[in-house]
Amino acid sequence: MNNLKGFAFGILTSATFGLIPLFTLPLMAKGMQFDSILFYRFLFAALALTGIMAAKNESFHVEKRDIPVLVLLGFFYTASAMFLFWGYNFMSAGIATTLHFTYPIFVTLIMLLVFREKTSWITLAICGVARLSIGEGTDSSDLPSLTDHPSALGIFIVLLSAIGYALYITTVNKSRVQKMTGRCLTFYVFIVSTILFAIKAGTNQGIQPIPDWMSFANLILLAIVPTVISNITLVLAVRGIGGTLTAVLGAVEPITAVCVGVLVFSEPFTPNLAIGILLIIIAVTLIILSKSIQSTLRKIYRAARLR
């Protein structure tokens, strides 16, 4: 049952995270810079969590020895968000989010090389499918971006976002802060991110005022749906099924982002994207059924040896 809940939380994390472009692109169209957008995103998210934790009488206490890890997590999450939003300037939101989905590959490599975690053939297969989908999706003919061809700089920037998110997931999974409640851990990560983006915005043109009520509504939704909900379910998923499987279930994220791009922002839906989405759906199905598949294969192998 815990594994089933972990899978459900992992899929919910990805589905909500994939909605970032839905609330972000209208704000950028209003002239807001990503430093200001991200400052408001994490400020409102921290305030929302404050209200939730206060209503549930949850403690905000954190041990002193946990503070350095929380600050490090804040840096990783801040870097991931900053580079992803920056990537929107170089390519469509759907393609940028699909590129961001390379993070399962980086999570798998970190867990394999640093923590010596055994990686099943299905996990490696999913990473291969993710990479194949990215290769299909980044064809220059598919990019309704500011330029007809994605620059190497743009791709590099979004890959940095993926690395930041992979480091965030593995740190949550392997550090002592994993014992903290999901809301408390997320609250302090948001506080660190808010401070960092306030400093970053201050070094540029400062924090921009919110243009209008519609922008305010988009910022609130950006803070709640792909931030508060996504991060709380991320922590719960990592606890339930581990960092590698949680990262692989991020396959739902580019599907959500591509659907938003096509249905809301009129981005083209090409055969390459369709193939990529189909492969991702197959990959998610395989990873959920992985234990059953491997158990069946072992039985078949044993039966064949007996003959």
Side-chain angles (χ1 to χ4, degrees):
M1 183 60 69
N2 286 337
N3 281 347
L4 185 60
K5 287 183 178 179
F7 282 122
F9 284 132
I11 292 173
L12 181 59
T13 295
S14 301
T16 52
F17 194 84
L19 293 174
I20 286 178
L22 180 63
F23 310 117
T24 301
L25 296 185
L27 294 168
M28 296 176 71
K30 290 284 186 178
M32 291 193 72
Q33 301 297 314
F34 67 82
D35 285 348
S36 295
I37 294 173
L38 289 168
F39 167 77
Y40 287 119
R41 174 191 180 188
F42 292 115
L43 174 64
F44 293 159
L47 291 174
L49 274 179
T50 300
I52 293 171
M53 292 176 67
K56 292 182 174 291
N57 293 319
E58 294 184 14
S59 173
F60 289 87
H61 174 74
V62 59
E63 295 184 22
K64 290 183 178 179
R65 56 182 174 173
D66 289 336
I67 293 176
V69 180
L70 292 171
V71 172
L72 182 64
L73 285 170
F75 270 100
F76 288 153
Y77 199 82
T78 297
S80 179
M82 180 183 68
F83 288 122
L84 178 60
F85 276 50
W86 191 3
Y88 291 158
N89 292 320
F90 295 88
M91 62 194 74
S92 70
I95 298 302
T97 307
T98 303
L99 274 172
H100 175 77
F101 178 59
T102 52
Y103 72 80
I105 299 173
F106 295 116
V107 169
T108 301
L109 289 175
I110 293 170
M111 300 299 280
L112 181 65
L113 299 176
V114 179
F115 298 103
R116 306 297 181 185
E117 180 180 282
K118 292 183 179 180
T119 306
S120 71
W121 65 269
I122 286 196
T123 301
L124 291 174
I126 302 306
C127 291
V129 169
R131 191 65 191 91
L132 175 61
S133 300
I134 292 160
E136 292 284 348
T138 53
D139 189 298
S140 61
S141 62
D142 296 340
L143 295 170
S145 59
L146 298 181
T147 62
D148 292 333
H149 300 278
S151 67
L153 175 61
I155 294 173
F156 178 70
I157 286 170
V158 180
L159 289 179
L160 288 177
S161 167
I163 293 171
Y165 199 57
L167 289 169
Y168 178 80
I169 290 176
T170 52
T171 304
V172 168
N173 188 32
K174 293 298 183 179
S175 67
R176 55 174 283 106
V177 299
Q178 187 187 33
K179 298 178 181 179
M180 295 176 61
T181 65
R183 280 187 284 262
C184 187
L185 188 157
T186 304
F187 170 77
Y188 284 106
V189 170
F190 289 168
I191 290 294
V192 173
S193 295
T194 302
I195 294 171
L196 290 175
F197 279 114
I199 294 172
K200 190 173 185 303
T203 60
N204 295 320
Q205 60 182 18
I207 298 171
Q208 297 171 286
I210 301 174
D212 50 39
W213 283 104
M214 184 58 70
S215 297
F216 180 76
N218 278 321
L219 285 168
I220 293 295
L221 290 171
L222 178 65
I224 299 297
V225 180
T227 309
V228 172
I229 294 176
S230 181
N231 280 274
I232 290 176
T233 53
L234 171 67
V235 174
L236 295 174
V238 168
R239 287 177 180 169
I241 58 176
T244 303
L245 293 184
T246 299
V248 171
L249 287 175
V252 179
E253 180 185 317
I255 295 176
T256 307
V258 168
C259 289
V260 168
V262 172
L263 299 176
V264 180
F265 300 109
S266 301
E267 295 176 359
F269 186 74
T270 66
N272 285 338
L273 282 178
I275 293 171
I277 288 176
L278 177 61
L279 289 174
I280 289 171
I281 292 173
I282 293 172
V284 172
T285 303
L286 285 174
I287 198 65
I288 291 174
L289 300 175
S290 60
K291 288 188 177 180
S292 298
I293 293 172
Q294 292 179 64
S295 176
T296 301
L297 289 176
R298 280 194 293 267
K299 289 178 182 178
I300 294 173
Y301 176 71
R302 288 170 185 169
R305 287 189 64 183
L306 290 175
R307 293 179 184 177

